[in-house]
């Protein structure tokens, strides 16, 4: 940190400068990156906590930058949101992921339906084309709306008015699942949940981290137990993310969580990896 007074400001933090330059460079390179096909998606399996079988995956976008190599979404999603590129980028992710889900379904006729989860940024929620784009993408791919889950962060919906909720309600009526992502970090009013067209709570990774030791901290256990029982009483399924160990998986299963995602099961990877995992399940 530096004080902003006089020529002290000249003694800039070189790392901060580098970060700012990179940020600027990345921002200007973003629109071209989409045209050049530099984005790609990794898929992380979603498993049933009961038996560990794969029933779907979350799509996580990456950028293969010609100079900087593979960049994670935390590096460029905020920039894309700031410049508005998130709308075409988000649409591309949805199209790509829905097409992939359809391809999995064709290869997995015997293993049951494969579901696909796609993240939505708050800017996409307020974009008027959200519902029609989603309908078109599902129809073009021939994927049932039931197989799609859109993840919206809890913070994006805090204090949401009816105008913001309307497109989500329409999607939910069509059968698309809406998940509340990063749940438990936004201090939302729990009673408010009834008003939201969501069918899944994705418990934030911070709760999963609390389950690292065995037995877990009793207060953490109580909190998760409370959230799960509230969710179930409202007919919401609970997904946990960031499961890194068997002990975490076991405690979260005992607490009644329904599905899980995390390095313990698989890291995000290319689409064929998911195909192999699902096939391994089918073989038993
Ligand atoms: P998220 O939606 O909460 O996604 C979960 C993040 O946790 C992913 O990070 C995933 O790689 C990571 N993760 C999964 N399992 C584990 C684990 O066991 N341990 C730990 N420590 N981490 C785990 P990633 O891929 O870097 O994505 C970061 C965030 O970027 C996502 O958080 C999401 O908010 C955003 N994002 C990713 N793809 C998209 C997209 O297509 N559109 C939008 N709007 N946002 C996206
Ligand atoms: Ca997510
Ligand atoms: Ca559904
Ligand atoms: Ca999350």
């Amino acid at each position: 940190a530096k004080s902003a007074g006089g020529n002290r400001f000249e003694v800039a933090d070189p790392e901060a400068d580098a970060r700012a330059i990179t940020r600027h460079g990345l921002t200007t390179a973003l629109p071209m990156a989409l045209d050049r096909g530099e984005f790609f998606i990794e898929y992380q399996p979603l498993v049933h906590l009961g038996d560990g079988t794969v029933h779907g995956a979350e799509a996580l976008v990456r950028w293969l930058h010609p100079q900087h190599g593979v960049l994670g979404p935390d590096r460029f999603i905020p920039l894309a949101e700031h410049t508005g590129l998130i709308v075409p980028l988000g649409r591309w992710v949805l199209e790509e992921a829905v097409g992939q889900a359809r391809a999995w379904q064709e290869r997995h006729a015997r293993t049951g339906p494969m579901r696909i989860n796609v993240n939505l940024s708050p800017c996409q929620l307020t974009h008027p084309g959200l519902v029609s784009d989603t309908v078109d993408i599902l129809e073009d791919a021939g994927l049932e709306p039931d197989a799609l889950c859109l993840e919206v962060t809890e913070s994006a919906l805090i204090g949401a008015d009816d105008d913001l909720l309307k497109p989500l309600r329409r999607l939910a009526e069509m059968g698309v699942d809406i998940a509340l992502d990063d749940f438990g970090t936004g201090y939302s009013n729990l009673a408010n949940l009834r008003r939201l067209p969501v069918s899944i709570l994705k418990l934030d990774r911070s709760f999963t981290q609390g389950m690292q030791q065995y037995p877990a901290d009793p207060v953490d256990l109580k909190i998760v137990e409370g959230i799960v029982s509230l969710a179930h009483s409202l007919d919401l399924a609970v997904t946990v993310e960031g499961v890194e160990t068997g002990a975490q998986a076991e405690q979260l299963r005992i607490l009644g969580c329904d599905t899980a995602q995390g390095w313990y099961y698989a890291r995000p990877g290319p689409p064929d990896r998911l195909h192999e995992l699902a096939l391994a399940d089918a073989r038993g």
Side-chain angles (χ1 to χ4, degrees), residues 115 146 175-177 199:
R115 317 193 71 249
D146 293 47
V176 173
D177 278 311
S199 47

Side-chain angles (χ1 to χ4, degrees), residues 57-132:
E58 179 176 5
L60 296 160
V61 68
R62 280 91 179 83
W63 179 4
L64 180 56
H65 188 284
Q67 278 94 49
H68 304 293
V70 176
L71 302 177
D74 294 334
R75 292 287 301 279
F76 62 87
I77 290 287
L79 307 177
E81 286 177 337
H82 191 69
T83 57
L85 192 82
I86 191 67
V87 171
L89 176 59
R91 198 185 297 126
W92 177 82
V93 171
L94 186 64
E95 205 167 354
E96 188 76 12
V98 161
Q100 187 56 62
R102 178 73 189 129
W104 282 326
Q105 287 198 342
E106 276 165 13
R107 294 167 78 180
H108 290 278
R110 289 166 309 141
T111 63
M114 291 294 268
R115 317 193 71 249
I116 186 73
N117 285 34
V118 177
N119 293 285
L120 274 195
S121 108
C123 320
Q124 291 173 272
L125 272 185
T126 51
H127 188 266
L130 175 65
V131 176
S132 57

Side-chain angles (χ1 to χ4, degrees), residues 39-264:
F39 294 103
F40 66 100
I41 300 178
E42 287 193 318
Y43 297 89
Q44 186 173 38
L46 286 153
V47 305
H48 291 295
L49 260 173
D51 58 9
T53 53
V54 177
H55 70 270
E58 179 176 5
L60 296 160
V61 68
R62 280 91 179 83
W63 179 4
L64 180 56
H65 188 284
Q67 278 94 49
H68 304 293
V70 176
L71 302 177
D74 294 334
R75 292 287 301 279
F76 62 87
I77 290 287
L79 307 177
E81 286 177 337
H82 191 69
T83 57
L85 192 82
I86 191 67
V87 171
L89 176 59
R91 198 185 297 126
W92 177 82
V93 171
L94 186 64
E95 205 167 354
E96 188 76 12
V98 161
Q100 187 56 62
R102 178 73 189 129
W104 282 326
Q105 287 198 342
E106 276 165 13
R107 294 167 78 180
H108 290 278
R110 289 166 309 141
T111 63
M114 291 294 268
R115 317 193 71 249
I116 186 73
N117 285 34
V118 177
N119 293 285
L120 274 195
S121 108
C123 320
Q124 291 173 272
L125 272 185
T126 51
H127 188 266
L130 175 65
V131 176
S132 57
D133 283 353
T134 307
V135 170
D136 289 350
I137 288 171
L138 287 168
E139 277 179 7
D140 289 350
L143 191 77
E144 295 300 321
D146 293 47
L148 175 65
C149 173
L150 295 173
E151 301 192 0
V152 183
T153 58
E154 185 190 13
S155 56
L157 293 187
I158 285 180
D161 59 11
D162 270 345
D163 284 346
L164 191 76
L165 295 178
K166 210 180 276 169
L168 286 183
R169 265 200 202 105
R170 285 199 39 211
L171 290 165
E173 280 160 14
M174 284 165 41
V176 173
D177 278 311
I178 311 293
L180 210 49
D181 205 353
D182 302 343
F183 184 78
T185 57
Y187 309 101
S188 63
N189 179 350
L190 290 180
N192 225 355
L193 278 176
R194 279 166 53 213
R195 215 168 62 81
L196 303 176
V198 299
S199 47
I200 297 166
L201 287 191
K202 283 193 89 170
L203 209 55
D204 190 67
R205 192 158 70 220
S206 51
F207 293 103
T208 317
Q209 272 162 0
M211 305 285 142
Q212 231 143 26
Q213 322 89 300
Y214 188 86
D217 182 273
V219 177
D220 284 341
L221 286 173
K222 282 275 173 232
I223 292 172
V224 175
E225 201 173 20
I227 292 176
V228 171
S229 87
L230 173 92
H232 285 169
S233 72
L234 294 171
D235 259 341
L236 305 174
V238 179
T239 302
V240 287
E241 48 180 26
V243 176
E244 295 178 359
T245 68
Q248 286 171 318
E250 183 56 11
Q251 296 190 90
L252 290 159
R253 189 187 63 78
I254 292 167
L255 288 170
C257 299
D258 304 290
T259 56
Q261 190 181 344
W263 298 343
Y264 174 62

